[in-house]
């Protein structure tokens, strides 16, 4: 009798716990649902339409046309121009084959009417034109990945270096900690405007300093080869203080005895760093790497402010988010921008899963 | 019994509503919401003062104004339109009016203006021209703009450059080129002959300021006979010639793509400043008698300059449209048009004010603007709902060209962006 009673009570106990669990889960779950899941599905829905920001025309469902434009890449073999008289390939004064212009080739086919050139390459004697339905999108992906691949390792290492620097027991350390952290609490838009002036080729602080050691002047933001690099430097400068503080907290958690034991074992400074500091900071590093990666993929404000929203010169600084905002807001193509956002979410999701896999494998 | 109750309730409701309305009218005036871009300091102060005097002058309506930053003003208006949160009366950069009218969030002002024949007759023609789309008037500006070249008299005289004093005497392209070369010798070593205000960045300035060069050379932003295609026009021979010349200014060090700040001309580092009317108050304060206004050069057969500035429109979602018009009418009162024009250097939108203003009279410092606007030099920006896309595409091309990009490729890209947008919007057919 007692047994059955307890059996009967058990599920109700679970139910109470479950109710409590659901209750405590509710705020986060509702927020995630309202601000993440529902918008994502709405974006997916919109990406199948030609929805405009403002338009008197009715919205039409256009299937996967937005994705087709976004992802369409064509490899088009280029035929050299023929001499109408001899029917032989035309050659210029240097003896090189003469090709029709890219625009002529693309406009000849109504399907590729609005495509743009991504690259040209010679392959087994034939020249190929790589054209994209949205060349800016591919450039944006390339820039975003370049940015992340450079910024994540650099910013993480700098942050660790700074953290070790300000972790020393020297006078005025709090002053330096504050100084290195101050860019983080400054609004990115303001930082961008300041650096915009510092990068001025003729009057900027950076070229003036480089001029002292006989370098430059460089056209930082005007030259397509250096513009993204210039934005990388400013982004690291602005963001590094945040990771520094997290590393600093991690460093202060490491028990002093570990270092003492290592010293007794005859470990030098470098060996202490590799064998004590780094392993002890494992979890901190994981957090820093993941958060920096996510921030890197969200690159937008700096580029928007410093290039007046163009992502220029010549798409050299355009990023996925900037392209999304430009398409959805400034060109009013909401449906198309939704397609970009869906693809972007899938890419970031894939990277997050990959990172998780790699990190948990390490743990095992 | 039931009937009595009903009658009692009706009477009560009527009483409450009567008192309610009367009470509201007597105590709190109806609010008219207003948005405007926060322009330069003096303009902003002048407009704020005018709105305050409107509220003090009557008690039927009360203007409640919000200032928004200029840089993203158009984005914010679009966002508000999507969210159904537009104010009653708002200002916007002139050529956006066609897109707003096409999208349906403005009302035509013809009926209102017809009730004010005096005002209608007093408006200068360029204001009506710019605000008109599909045969209706959608916006009215309290001022028009002036675009020409500001010169430093001392430097021009030192370089021996002829200073034209009327549009008939405008420089030709050869003269302009020669003047720029001659001015090289008189500007300081860290200066350059021509300031193009490139520090404004890739935005409306690039289109407003530099599309007249395109037009003077014989090109344009779009084929204006149909407004259906830019191909062959914005990237046609004349346009490419215009922008190749434009690029040569940068390549030859006659101007800078990266000015130090906004004060290059005021500080005497540039001999000429190619910019609109809005710098007049600060330039005349800095240079005094040495400031001269030089008409737009004839790059090709004729000189072309821009027209149009910020305009006011009434939204279709406004529920006190009469109030919005009442306020707009107040803004267009001669004394207010005058006050605003004096603060900003802009061309007053009323003939009566313009003709009484000694600055615009023969021999006045701004007479060139008057000539350009009234004698066919000024051309409106393309009157099509595609304008927001046209201006972005062209501004981006100007940015790339100034930074040394291939002129034909940059303009081809702009042509494709515009044509694609027009195709996607079914030719922007009127509703």
């Amino acid at each position: 009798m007692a047994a059955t009673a307890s059996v009967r009570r058990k599920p109700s106990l679970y139910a109470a716990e479950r109710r409590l669990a659901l209750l405590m889960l509710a705020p986060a779950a509702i927020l995630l649902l309202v601000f993440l899941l529902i918008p994502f599905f709405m974006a997916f829905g919109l990406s199948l339409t030609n929805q405009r920001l403002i338009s008197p025309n009715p919205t039409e469902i256009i299937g996967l046309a937005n994705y087709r434009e976004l992802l369409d890449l064509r490899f088009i073999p280029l035929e050299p121009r023929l001499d109408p008289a001899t029917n032989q390939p035309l050659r210029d004064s240097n003896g090189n084959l003469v090709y029709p212009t890219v625009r002529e080739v693309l406009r000849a086919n109504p399907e590729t009417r609005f495509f743009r050139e991504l690259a040209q390459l010679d392959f087994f004697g034939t020249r190929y034109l790589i054209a994209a339905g949205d060349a800016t999108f591919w450039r944006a992906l390339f820039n975003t990945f370049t940015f992340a691949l450079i910024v994540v390792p650099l910013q993480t290492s700098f942050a660790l270096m700074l953290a070790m620097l300000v972790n020393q027991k020297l006078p005025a350390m709090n002053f330096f900690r504050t100084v290195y952290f101050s860019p983080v609490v400054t609004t990115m838009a303001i930082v961008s405007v300041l650096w915009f002036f510092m990068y001025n080729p003729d009057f900027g602080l950076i070229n003036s300093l480089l001029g002292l050691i006989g370098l430059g002047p460089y056209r930082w933001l005007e030259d397509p080869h250096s513009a993204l690099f210039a934005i990388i430097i400013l982004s690291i400068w602005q963001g590094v203080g945040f990771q520094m503080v997290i590393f600093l907290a991690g460093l202060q958690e490491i028990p002093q005895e570990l270092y003492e034991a290592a010293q007794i074992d005859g470990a030098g400074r470098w060996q202490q760093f590799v064998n004590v500091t780094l392993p002890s900071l494992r979890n901190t590093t994981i957090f820093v790497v993941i958060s920096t990666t996510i921030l890197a993929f969200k690159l937008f404000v700096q580029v928007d402010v410093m290039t007046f929203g163009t992502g220029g010169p010549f798409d050299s600084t355009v990023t996925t988010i900037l392209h999304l905002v430009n398409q959805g807001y400034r060109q009013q193509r909401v449906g198309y921008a939704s397609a970009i956002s869906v693809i972007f979410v899938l890419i970031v999701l894939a990277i997050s899963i990959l990172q998780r896999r790699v990190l948990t494998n390490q743990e095992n | 019994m039931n009937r009595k109750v009903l009658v009692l309730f009706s009477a009560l409701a009527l009483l409450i509503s009567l008192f309610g309305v009367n009470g509201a009218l007597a105590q709190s005036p109806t609010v008219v919401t207003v948005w405007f871009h926060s322009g330069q300091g003096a303009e902003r102060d002048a407009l704020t003062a005018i709105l305050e005097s409107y509220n003090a002058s009557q008690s039927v309506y009360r203007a409640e104004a919000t200032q928004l930053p200029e840089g993203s003003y158009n984005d914010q208006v679009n966002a508000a339109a999507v969210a159904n949160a537009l104010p009653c009366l708002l200002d916007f950069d002139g050529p956006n009016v066609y897109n707003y009218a096409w999208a349906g969030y403005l009302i035509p002002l013809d009926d209102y203006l017809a009730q004010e024949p005096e005002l209608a007759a007093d408006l200068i023609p360029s204001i009506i021209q710019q605000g008109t789309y599909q045969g209706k008037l959608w916006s009215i500006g309290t001022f028009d703009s002036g675009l020409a070249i500001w010169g430093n008299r001392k430097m021009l005289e030192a370089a021996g450059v002829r200073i034209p004093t009327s549009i008939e005497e405008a420089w030709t392209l050869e003269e302009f080129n020669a003047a720029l070369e001659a001015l090289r010798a008189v500007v300081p070593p860290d200066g350059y002959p021509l300031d193009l205000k490139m520090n404004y960045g890739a935005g409306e300035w690039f289109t407003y300021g530099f599309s007249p060069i395109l037009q003077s050379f014989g090109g344009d932003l779009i084929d204006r006979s149909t407004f259906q295609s830019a191909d062959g026009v914005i990237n046609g021979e004349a346009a490419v010639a215009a922008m190749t010349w434009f690029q040569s200014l940068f390549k030859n060090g006659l101007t800078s793509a990266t000015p130090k700040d906004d004060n290059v001309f005021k500080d005497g580092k540039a001999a000429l400043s190619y910019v609109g009317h809005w710098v007049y108050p600060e330039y005349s304060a800095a240079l005094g008698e040495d400031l001269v206004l030089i008409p737009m050069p004839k790059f090709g057969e004729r000189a072309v300059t821009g027209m149009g500035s910020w305009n006011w429109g009434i939204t279709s979602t406004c529920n006190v449209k009469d109030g919005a018009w009442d306020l707009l009418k107040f803004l267009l009162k001669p004394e207010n048009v005058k006050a605003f024009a004096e603060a900003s250097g802009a061309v007053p939108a009323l003939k009566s004010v313009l003709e009484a203003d000694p600055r615009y009279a023969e021999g006045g410092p701004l007479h060139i603007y008057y000539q350009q606007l009234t004698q066919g030099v000024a051309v409106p920006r393309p009157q099509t709902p595609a304008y927001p896309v046209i201006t972005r595409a062209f501004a981006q091309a100007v940015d790339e060209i100034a930074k040394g990009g291939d002129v034909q490729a940059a303009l081809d890209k702009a042509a494709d962006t515009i044509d694609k947008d027009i195709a996607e919007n079914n030719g922007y057919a009127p509703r």
Side-chain angles (χ1 to χ4, degrees):
Chain A
M1 191 69 188
T4 49
S6 77
V7 165
R8 215 178 278 156
R9 195 169 291 146
K10 237 180 190 170
S12 74
L13 197 71
Y14 282 145
E17 279 179 354
R18 204 176 295 133
R19 224 175 294 133
L20 188 67
L22 281 177
L23 197 72
M24 298 181 83
L25 194 65
I30 289 170
L31 286 176
L32 283 172
L33 191 74
V34 172
F35 290 106
L36 273 170
L37 278 177
I38 293 177
F40 178 75
F41 287 112
M42 279 170 72
F44 182 71
L46 283 173
S47 74
L48 304 176
T49 71
N50 67 351
Q51 175 73 43
R52 309 269 311 171
L53 187 65
I54 307 281
S55 171
N57 297 331
T59 303
E60 291 160 25
I61 292 175
I62 54 168
L64 296 173
N66 284 329
Y67 292 96
R68 212 172 301 133
E69 180 185 339
L70 189 61
L71 303 173
D72 201 346
L73 276 180
R74 303 278 175 103
F75 294 80
I76 304 165
L78 288 180
E79 307 282 349
R81 268 193 213 278
L82 296 180
D83 189 332
T86 59
N87 231 12
Q88 290 297 308
L90 210 59
R91 288 182 189 272
D92 63 11
S93 51
N94 296 328
N96 293 320
L97 290 169
V98 179
Y99 290 97
T101 68
V102 169
R103 201 150 177 267
E104 274 175 57
V105 175
L106 293 175
R107 287 163 69 97
N109 179 354
E111 268 185 45
T112 57
R113 165 74 179 81
F114 291 116
F115 278 46
R116 273 186 28 232
E117 170 181 344
L118 265 188
Q120 288 190 31
L121 49 93
D122 285 308
F123 194 64
F124 287 115
T126 310
R127 176 164 299 182
Y128 284 90
L129 164 68
I130 308 174
D134 184 354
T136 306
F137 171 71
W138 293 100
R139 191 58 211 253
L141 270 190
F142 175 78
N143 289 342
T144 308
F145 272 91
T146 309
F147 181 84
L149 283 174
I150 296 177
V151 163
V152 173
L154 268 187
Q155 190 168 329
T156 310
S157 339
F158 276 138
L160 182 55
M161 269 166 54
L162 281 180
M164 291 176 64
L165 212 61
V166 299
N167 194 30
Q168 298 170 75
K169 290 189 172 53
L170 291 171
M173 238 350 125
N174 274 336
F175 171 74
F176 285 108
R177 287 175 190 173
T178 313
V179 166
Y180 294 141
F181 192 69
S182 58
V184 179
V185 291
T186 312
T187 312
M188 188 49 114
I190 292 168
V191 170
S192 307
V193 171
L194 289 176
W195 278 72
F196 182 78
F197 288 115
M198 282 163 57
Y199 277 133
N200 184 298
D202 307 312
F203 306 96
L205 180 69
I206 293 174
N207 274 352
S208 303
L209 289 177
L210 289 174
L212 293 179
I213 52 168
L215 291 174
Y218 298 104
R219 297 166 73 229
W220 289 103
L221 293 166
E222 289 74 42
D223 186 338
H225 302 291
S226 60
L228 186 63
F229 185 62
I231 284 175
I232 287 174
I233 297 175
L234 122 89
S235 306
I236 293 178
W237 177 83
Q238 196 269 348
V240 74
F242 178 68
Q243 281 83 355
M244 176 197 81
V245 167
I246 296 167
F247 271 128
L248 189 61
L251 283 176
Q252 291 177 346
E253 286 287 298
I254 304 175
Q256 213 46 44
E257 297 87 67
L258 290 180
Y259 288 105
E260 284 161 12
Q263 273 167 5
I264 290 165
D265 288 343
R269 282 247 157 157
W270 176 248
Q271 283 175 314
Q272 285 178 42
F273 174 72
V274 173
N275 296 314
V276 178
T277 311
L278 278 188
S280 310
L281 285 178
R282 225 190 72 87
N283 285 336
T284 316
T285 313
I286 290 174
F287 173 78
V288 167
V289 167
I290 291 180
S291 64
T292 316
T293 309
I294 291 170
L295 285 175
F297 272 95
K298 286 190 345 194
L299 175 62
F300 169 69
V301 178
Q302 301 93 301
V303 184
D304 192 47
V305 172
M306 297 176 85
T307 71
F308 297 91
T310 62
F314 321 112
D315 287 347
S316 61
T317 57
V318 69
T319 68
T320 323
I321 301 287
L322 179 66
H323 188 48
L324 189 156
V325 170
N326 277 342
Q327 288 293 318
Y329 236 92
R330 295 162 183 163
Q331 303 254 32
Q332 306 202 3
R333 303 177 75 202
V334 170
Y336 187 72
S338 303
I340 299 178
S341 75
V342 169
I343 297 292
F344 183 67
V345 164
L346 293 181
I347 291 172
V348 173
L349 195 69
I351 291 168
S352 308
I353 291 173
L354 198 76
Q355 265 184 343
R356 249 192 77 86
R357 280 268 171 85
V358 171
L359 294 171
T360 36
N361 277 352
Q362 271 184 2
E363 214 159 352
N364 297 337
Chain B
M1 181 69 191
N2 261 347
R3 197 172 294 164
K4 267 185 190 169
V5 171
L6 209 68
V7 169
L8 202 72
F9 264 110
S10 319
L12 210 69
L14 195 68
L15 246 126
I16 289 171
S17 68
L18 274 177
F19 271 106
V21 169
N22 278 338
L25 278 179
Q27 285 157 14
S28 53
T30 313
V31 168
V32 177
T33 45
V34 183
W35 279 8
F36 65 94
H37 78 288
S38 61
Q40 321 240 331
E43 287 177 30
R44 196 165 53 229
D45 295 345
L47 188 54
T48 311
I50 295 170
L51 289 172
E52 269 168 21
S53 76
Y54 174 76
N55 287 341
S57 72
Q58 45 76 52
S59 52
V60 185
Y61 302 110
R62 195 164 58 82
E64 257 182 24
T66 310
Q67 297 179 34
L68 299 168
E70 183 173 343
S72 55
Y73 192 81
N74 194 27
D75 291 349
Q76 296 181 64
V77 170
N78 283 335
V82 174
N84 243 337
L86 280 174
C88 264
L89 184 66
L90 78 159
D91 81 341
F92 40 80
D93 209 346
N96 287 321
V97 68
Y98 320 115
N99 186 268
Y100 295 172
W102 170 77
Y105 56 78
L106 292 180
I107 58 161
L109 304 173
D110 303 80
D111 291 346
Y112 282 121
L113 194 60
Q115 295 164 17
E116 311 287 334
E118 245 175 73
L119 172 62
D122 202 13
L123 285 169
I124 58 174
S126 62
I127 289 292
I128 303 287
Q129 193 182 354
Q130 189 191 235
T132 303
Y133 170 69
Q134 297 293 333
K136 287 189 179 129
L137 183 70
W138 302 87
S139 71
I140 303 179
T142 64
F143 58 93
D144 208 313
S145 62
L147 170 68
I149 303 175
W150 296 102
N152 182 321
R153 189 194 301 273
K154 271 196 188 128
M155 288 183 176
L156 289 163
E157 283 172 358
V161 173
R162 179 179 73 88
I163 302 174
T165 54
S166 73
I167 58 169
E168 290 80 24
E169 297 173 13
W171 288 332
T172 60
L173 179 59
E174 290 71 34
E175 263 186 292
F176 188 27
N177 282 333
L180 290 173
E181 284 301 333
L183 287 165
R184 251 191 231 273
V186 299
V187 291
D190 59 341
Y192 37 86
L194 179 66
D195 167 31
L196 287 174
K197 288 287 177 197
M198 296 304 287
N199 53 304
Y200 287 172
E204 190 57 37
W205 162 242
F206 280 16
T207 309
Y208 172 78
F210 307 134
S211 63
I213 300 178
L214 213 67
Q215 291 151 356
S216 186
F217 266 88
D220 206 341
L221 296 171
I222 188 169
D223 176 1
R224 294 199 195 211
S225 62
T226 59
F227 288 114
Q228 292 299 304
S229 174
D231 193 36
V233 181
I234 198 174
N235 56 346
E237 246 172 72
V240 171
M243 295 318 281
T244 306
W245 171 81
F246 181 76
Q247 190 175 51
S248 74
L249 298 175
F250 298 90
K251 285 191 172 159
N252 300 334
L254 294 166
T255 186
S256 167
T258 48
K260 182 185 180 191
D261 52 31
D262 207 27
N263 305 327
V264 181
F265 180 74
K266 277 196 289 184
D267 293 347
K269 308 279 187 188
L272 299 171
S273 185
Y274 183 113
V275 64
H277 66 259
W278 51 91
V279 295
Y280 175 64
E282 34 168 340
Y283 278 14
S284 68
L287 272 80
E289 286 297 302
D290 282 335
L291 182 70
V292 288
L293 187 57
I294 298 163
M296 285 294 271
K298 289 177 194 153
F299 295 102
E301 280 184 11
R302 66 185 192 112
V304 177
T305 191
M307 69 152 76
S309 197
W310 288 74
N311 278 11
W312 294 96
I314 299 174
T315 58
S316 46
T317 49
C318 172
N319 45 25
V320 273
K321 294 189 178 74
D322 290 351
W325 171 250
D326 191 61
L327 174 55
L328 180 51
K329 223 166 57 183
F330 186 81
L331 295 175
L332 284 162
K333 277 191 169 187
E335 61 264 34
N336 294 329
V337 169
K338 184 164 178 263
F340 194 82
E342 271 167 10
S344 64
V347 183
L350 298 177
K351 289 175 199 157
S352 57
V353 178
L354 181 59
E355 272 148 25
D357 191 331
R359 297 179 305 170
Y360 293 94
E362 187 116 30
L366 303 175
H367 184 59
I368 297 289
Y369 287 155
Y370 178 79
Q371 283 192 318
Q372 291 189 150
L373 268 180
T374 54
Q375 295 175 32
V377 178
V379 169
R381 283 161 277 179
Q383 290 161 294
T384 160
Y387 186 77
V389 169
I390 295 176
T391 182
R392 266 187 63 77
F394 182 65
Q396 183 148 4
V398 170
D399 183 56
E400 291 181 357
I401 289 165
K403 286 170 181 165
D406 184 81
V407 174
Q408 183 76 58
L411 294 176
D412 281 347
K413 195 168 88 175
D416 286 345
T417 305
I418 295 165
D419 282 9
K420 189 173 171 201
D421 178 70
I422 293 173
E424 277 185 355
N425 285 284
N426 308 327
Y428 283 106
R431 301 193 301 157

